[in-house]
Amino acid sequence: MRRILLAVAVILAVPSLVSYIGVLTERSDSTLSIRTVEWLRDNGARGLVNRVENFWYTTFQAPSTGGPALHALPRQAGVTATSGKGVARVKLYRPPNIFPVIHPALAGEGVWHATYAPGGSRPPVLVTQFRPEALYPQNVAGVAWIDHTRTTTWLYPGAQEPAVTLPSRGPEEIPVSKRSTLVASFNSGFKLVDSGGGVVVGGHTYAPMHDGLGTIMRLRNGQVDVRAWSYGPTAPSDVVYARQNLPLIVINGHLNPNLSDGPEWGATLGNAVRVWRSGVGIDRHGNLIYAAANDMTVGSLAAVLQRAGAVRAMELDINTYWTSFITYRHPGASGAANLLASMDRSPQRYLTPEDRDFFGVFLR
C-alpha cells in the first residue's frame, strides 16, 4: 500500500513539476523567488500565499507610528535643475503645489519639478514628493503629473500579462522606434485573475469588461481617462485600450466611502495592509496623476491622489517588485530615473522585455 501511494503521489506530482520547470526556464525578467510565488498563486495555492503575505506584512513589516522626523526629503534623481522658476512663469495651467500634511514643511515638499530637459516652459511631466501621513512622518509619497496637451499615453502588453491570447504581444518593452519621444513609463494593475477585471487592446476586448470597476482607457480621439466602466462586457468601437483594476478609490473628488470594505479591494493584500501601492487618477483638466509610496493602505493612497488634485482615481499594482514610475531626462530614453529612490526596480525596467503590461508616455 505504501508503494502504491508513493507511486500515485509521484504520478500526481509530475504535471506540477513539469509546469514549475517550464516557469523556471521560460524567458522572464522576474527573480526566481517572484516566479516561484507567482507559480504557486496560479496553481492552487493562491489563498495560502495571500495568508502568508498578510501575516508577514502585518507582523514583521508593519511600520511603526511616530519616530524621528525627517530633516530633508530624499533626492529625486529625475528632476531638471532649472525646473522651478520656468514652471512658475508659465501662464498655461499647471497644478498648484501640494499643500503639506505635516508642518513645518520640508524644503521643496509638494513643489513640482520638471523631468524632461528639452520640455522648456511647458514641461510634459512634473514630479514632487511629500509626507502624506502625520502618524508616519518618515514615509514619503511620490507624485507625477502628466500634461495631456503635450503627451500621449499607450498601454503595452508584457510577456505574461494581461493573461489573454493576443494576435501579437508586441515588443513587450518600450518600442525602440518610439524612444526618441519617451518622457515617462509606469506600471499597470493587478493580474487579471486577481482583479477580476477586463482588458481591451487595439480596440478589441480580450477579457470581458465589468461595469463599476475603475478603468484607465484611451479613446480614438486621443483622450486618456480614468473612470468607472459603464459600457457592458464589450468595449465600444471608440475605445482603443482599457485596463481595469478594482473600483475607483477617488470619485468626484471624494474618497470612495467603501475604502474600509476589505473584500472590495481584490484577492491579494486587501485594503488595510501597509505595503507599496500605486495608483493613477485624472484631474479636472484631463491630466493624469500617478502616485506611489511604501507603507500605504488603499485609503492613504486615495488621500495622496486626492490631495494631488485627482477627481477620479484607481489603484494600480502593489508590492515593491511591481511598483514603478520612471522619467527620462533626454530623448532616446536617456537619463532614466525612478520617481522615488526607494523604488525597487531598475529605471531601465521597461527598456527590456517585461513580464507585466505597462504604460508609456510620449511627446505628442
Side-chain angles (χ1 to χ4, degrees), residues 67-150:
L70 294 177
H71 297 291
L73 292 171
R75 179 176 173 269
Q76 279 188 300
V79 302
T80 59
T82 59
S83 60
K85 293 183 179 179
V87 172
R89 289 198 298 265
V90 173
K91 293 183 179 180
L92 298 175
Y93 175 77
R94 285 294 179 268
N97 291 337
I98 298 175
F99 193 76
V101 174
I102 301 176
H103 298 278
L106 300 176
E109 189 166 13
V111 177
W112 295 104
H113 298 277
T115 60
Y116 187 65
S121 62
R122 294 180 58 206
V125 177
L126 300 174
V127 299
T128 190
Q129 52 186 341
F130 71 100
R131 297 165 295 168
E133 295 182 276
L135 289 177
Y136 300 91
Q138 299 186 52
N139 195 21
V140 176
V143 183
W145 178 88
I146 300 170
D147 187 344
H148 80 282
T149 68
R150 294 218 61 199

Side-chain angles (χ1 to χ4, degrees), residues 36-357:
T36 299
V37 170
E38 293 300 299
W39 180 83
L40 288 170
R41 286 187 189 275
D42 295 337
N43 288 272
R46 181 176 305 276
L48 175 62
V49 171
N50 290 341
R51 286 193 294 272
V52 170
E53 282 191 330
N54 271 276
F55 177 77
W56 173 259
Y57 281 113
T58 56
T59 305
F60 299 107
Q61 295 292 307
S64 300
T65 58
L70 294 177
H71 297 291
L73 292 171
R75 179 176 173 269
Q76 279 188 300
V79 302
T80 59
T82 59
S83 60
K85 293 183 179 179
V87 172
R89 289 198 298 265
V90 173
K91 293 183 179 180
L92 298 175
Y93 175 77
R94 285 294 179 268
N97 291 337
I98 298 175
F99 193 76
V101 174
I102 301 176
H103 298 278
L106 300 176
E109 189 166 13
V111 177
W112 295 104
H113 298 277
T115 60
Y116 187 65
S121 62
R122 294 180 58 206
V125 177
L126 300 174
V127 299
T128 190
Q129 52 186 341
F130 71 100
R131 297 165 295 168
E133 295 182 276
L135 289 177
Y136 300 91
Q138 299 186 52
N139 195 21
V140 176
V143 183
W145 178 88
I146 300 170
D147 187 344
H148 80 282
T149 68
R150 294 218 61 199
T151 62
T152 179
T153 301
W154 288 96
L155 172 67
Y156 290 96
Q160 299 173 14
E161 286 294 324
V164 294
T165 301
L166 300 171
S168 170
R169 302 196 77 85
E172 301 163 3
E173 61 183 292
I174 298 292
V176 174
S177 61
K178 299 191 66 174
R179 294 182 186 181
S180 62
T181 59
L182 179 66
V183 294
S185 57
F186 60 94
N187 61 280
S188 183
F190 290 179
K191 297 171 69 172
L192 295 183
V193 69
D194 289 325
S195 70
V199 66
V200 178
V201 179
H204 183 81
T205 304
Y206 287 96
M209 304 292 285
H210 296 271
D211 285 348
L213 288 188
T215 308
I216 178 171
M217 57 190 293
R218 179 188 175 96
L219 304 180
R220 295 199 181 277
N221 64 6
Q223 178 189 3
V224 177
D225 200 357
V226 176
R227 64 176 70 166
W229 188 259
S230 60
Y231 307 104
T234 302
S237 59
D238 65 336
V239 175
V240 178
Y241 68 70
R243 181 63 156 88
Q244 294 191 303
N245 199 56
L246 312 183
L248 291 180
I249 58 178
V250 178
I251 305 171
N252 296 326
H254 301 284
L255 302 187
N256 184 332
N258 298 323
L259 290 177
S260 60
D261 180 12
E264 193 168 3
W265 306 109
T268 55
L269 290 175
N271 65 315
V273 178
R274 288 188 171 271
V275 294
W276 270 97
R277 294 184 188 267
S278 61
V280 66
I282 194 121
D283 69 13
R284 60 189 180 90
H285 299 278
N287 304 298
L288 288 179
I289 299 174
Y290 176 99
N294 193 10
D295 297 329
M296 290 277 104
T297 66
V298 169
S300 59
L301 174 67
V304 168
L305 285 158
Q306 179 195 46
R307 183 168 286 266
V311 293
R312 295 183 299 279
M314 59 186 283
E315 185 176 49
L316 293 176
D317 218 336
I318 65 174
N319 281 330
T320 180
Y321 199 75
W322 304 117
T323 304
S324 290
F325 188 98
I326 302 163
T327 58
Y328 306 90
R329 184 174 295 186
H330 302 289
S334 176
N338 285 328
L339 175 64
L340 292 170
S342 52
M343 285 181 162
D344 183 67
R345 301 295 292 275
S346 165
Q348 303 297 316
R349 176 180 180 184
Y350 299 124
L351 303 180
T352 57
E354 164 66 22
D355 290 351
R356 299 284 187 95
D357 51 317

